[in-house]
Amino acid sequence: MSSAPGTIDLPDPRQGGIDRYSVAIITQPASLTELLAAVVRIGEGQQGRTFALLDDADQCLYTSGHAINGHDLDTGVTYPEDDSAAAVDQYEAELFAAVLSALRGSDPEAAWASIPEGFATDAGDIDALVSLHRDPSPLLEAAHVVQRVPEASVDGPLADVPNGYFSGDWTPFQSLAVTRRLHERHGYEPWAIGARTLAFHRPVDAPALNVDALIADLQHLYGQPESPAWGELAELLRSSTFLVLGYTEDFAELVTVV
């Protein structure tokens, strides 16, 4: 059954999905704009929050599992010995609730402030941000799994697919702090998570964007304030509803390894 061109519905999330919250697969999107439009369409009129997996879904899920364990986000939840569909479904619901609770137990301002100053290792990383906004095609895959989680707040996607496993990455707590700040201060909604990136968009009813304030926040995250690429990025963001951020220390490789 197809609800839109390039979209495959998943009445059974075990058939091609990743967990109980998988609802669709979007195949061969021609652009990031097309992918977002399909995600929005799938979520229309539905409860909770809908989002997609972005760059390198397999790696994203692999590191997410390690991030859950490494940051003790699954306290009190164990995989069932009886791995029947019903037992696994219950486990995944309990895991989502546990991760959401753990993330919400952190201080978002402390997590924001704890992101290492100068996360970007050199000015080339800022150039990579510019490149990804000019041409986001490296983020696209042949197929993107779409998730719908029961939590409607911006916390929902990161509770389902928390990430930040390696020492040079933002932690799940830091990524959530970034997500909340972008939402509350700049009107961005999270809509996709990849192995190296977080993707946001500004809906049509979002308040006017203060690009200077946004760039100041991004400089807090990435450092390199002297890079001329910040000016280029500011101009791109003035005319775009998208924002793509790299949360891993090697995210810049996306623009060279595609």
Side-chain angles (χ1 to χ4, degrees), residues 228-250:
W230 286 119
E232 299 177 62
L233 183 60
E235 289 306 307
L236 290 168
L237 293 175
R238 290 182 201 281
S239 58
S240 174
T241 63
F242 290 108
L243 176 64
V244 177
L245 301 182
Y247 68 86
T248 66
E249 61 181 347
D250 64 347

Side-chain angles (χ1 to χ4, degrees), residues 144-158:
H144 296 265
V145 178
V146 180
Q147 303 287 101
R148 184 182 302 129
V149 292
E151 175 54 51
S153 77
V154 297
D155 304 5
L158 285 169

Side-chain angles (χ1 to χ4, degrees), residues 9-48:
D9 293 333
L10 293 177
D12 181 353
R14 309 298 165 193
Q15 301 298 314
I18 65 170
D19 62 22
R20 74 193 305 267
Y21 302 115
S22 301
V23 294
I25 296 174
I26 299 170
T27 60
Q28 301 293 341
S31 66
L32 202 65
T33 299
E34 183 177 283
L35 178 62
L36 171 60
V39 172
V40 170
R41 185 167 55 244
I42 292 168
E44 284 178 347
Q46 303 297 321
Q47 299 292 322

